[in-house]
Amino acid sequence: MRSLVLGGVLVGLVVLAALLSFAWTPFDPVKVDATHRLLGFTGSHWFGTDKFGRDLLSQLMVGARTTLYVGVVAVGIAAVIGTPVGVLAGMSPRWLGEFVMRVNDLVLAFPALLLAIMFGAVFGADTLTAMVAIGIATIPSFARIARSGTLQVMSTEFVLAARAGGRSRPAIALRHVLPNISGLLIVQASVSFAIAVLAEAALSFLGFGTRPPTPSWGRMLQESQELLTVQPRLALVPGIAIAVAVLGFNLLGDGLRDRLDPRLAARA
C-alpha cells in the first residue's frame, strides 16, 4: 500500500507539472536571455538559469510534458500490438504459439536505444521516431506477459466449460482472458512507462530524441555537460526529475502488483 501511495504521489507531481505547463510557466522556456545566463537559485528563478539564460523550472515543466507524451504513445503502441500477439500465442496450438514467441524473441534482441538510433538514421531523429522505436522495442514485454497470463486462464475450469459449451475463441478471449490478465497488463504498463522515460532521456542526451528548441530532460542533461564542474545544478535538476519519474512509476507498478495479484493481496 505504501508503494502505491508513494508512487502515485511522485507520478502525480510529474503529471501536475506537465498539465500546468499548458497554462502557465514562470518564464518562456525557449527564450534566450544573455543578461540572465547561469543565475543561481533566486526568488524569480527558483532553479536558476542555463548557459543561454533560459529558466530551468520552465524547461523542467515543459520537459515533463514531452516525457509523458513519449511514454503514453510508446506504451500505447506496445500494449495495443503486444497484448493481442500474446493472447493469440497463448490460445493457439503449441507449435504456433512457440513460433510466435520465437519471432517475439527476435524483436526483443534489439534494445530500444539501438532501434531508435537506427530509426533516426533512416527517418530522421525526432520525438515521433523515438517514441515509435521505444514502443516497438517494448512490444515483446507485453506479448510475454499476455501469453503467460493467457496460458494460466486457459487451464481454468470456467474456460474449459466455455470451450465445452461451444463458445468461440474470440469470445473466450474477450469475455474471459482479457479481463483476467488486465491486472498483469496494468502493472507491465507502469513498469514500461518508467523504461520509456529513461529511454527518451537517453536518446535526447545522445541527440536522437526531442529536437531543440522543445525542452527535454535528456537534452538538459546533455547541455549541462560542459559546465558540470562549475555548475553541477544544471545536471542535478533534470537528473532528479528523471529519478523521481522513474521511481514513481516503478513504485506505482509494485503497488499495483500487490493490489491486483490475489496471492500477494491474501498474503498481505
Side-chain angles (χ1 to χ4, degrees):
M1 185 63 179
R2 286 178 293 182
S3 297
L4 183 63
V5 173
L6 181 56
V9 170
L10 295 180
V11 171
L13 290 175
V14 177
V15 173
L16 178 62
L19 293 177
L20 187 60
S21 70
F22 283 103
W24 172 85
T25 54
F27 295 90
D28 186 344
V30 300
K31 182 180 179 181
V32 176
D33 187 354
T35 61
H36 291 81
R37 293 177 63 252
L38 300 176
L39 293 180
F41 302 103
T42 65
S44 56
H45 298 279
W46 290 2
F47 293 162
T49 61
D50 64 7
K51 61 182 179 181
F52 300 109
R54 298 173 301 188
D55 181 63
L56 289 183
L57 177 58
S58 301
Q59 289 193 75
L60 207 64
M61 293 172 64
V62 179
R65 189 168 69 197
T66 302
T67 297
L68 292 178
Y69 175 52
V70 171
V72 167
V73 175
V75 173
I77 291 173
V80 168
I81 299 177
T83 301
V85 169
V87 172
L88 174 65
M91 297 184 67
S92 299
R94 183 178 180 85
W95 66 269
L96 182 57
E98 290 296 329
F99 173 77
V100 172
M101 296 314 295
R102 296 297 76 77
V103 175
N104 187 73
D105 292 340
L106 183 62
V107 178
L108 191 63
F110 290 89
L113 293 181
L114 178 59
L115 197 62
I117 292 173
M118 292 170 57
F119 276 30
V122 176
F123 303 107
D126 58 12
T127 306
L128 177 61
T129 303
M131 60 190 180
V132 170
I134 295 171
I136 292 175
T138 313
I139 289 174
S141 300
F142 277 87
R144 281 177 172 271
I145 291 294
R147 180 176 184 259
S148 175
T150 300
L151 290 174
Q152 293 180 8
V153 174
M154 291 299 290
S155 63
T156 57
E157 293 182 358
F158 58 86
V159 171
L160 294 176
R163 294 179 65 182
R167 191 177 294 273
S168 65
R169 288 181 181 272
I172 292 174
L174 293 175
R175 186 177 179 83
H176 299 293
V177 175
L178 288 177
N180 282 281
I181 68 172
S182 59
L184 296 173
L185 297 176
I186 292 173
V187 173
Q188 181 61 37
S190 64
V191 175
S192 297
F193 214 110
I195 296 173
V197 169
L198 282 176
E200 189 280 328
L203 288 171
S204 296
F205 180 86
L206 295 172
F208 290 94
T210 304
R211 291 181 175 180
T214 305
S216 167
W217 292 350
R219 206 176 66 255
M220 290 174 68
L221 281 174
Q222 191 274 332
E223 292 173 351
S224 71
Q225 295 308 294
E226 60 186 64
L227 298 171
L228 192 59
T229 56
V230 293
Q231 293 282 351
R233 63 176 177 80
L234 296 178
L236 191 63
V237 169
I240 291 177
I242 294 171
V244 167
V246 172
L247 179 62
F249 282 109
N250 279 327
L251 288 175
L252 190 62
D254 289 342
L256 289 172
R257 181 199 60 199
D258 295 343
R259 296 286 292 182
L260 297 175
D261 190 324
R263 293 170 299 179
L264 294 176
R267 187 181 306 170

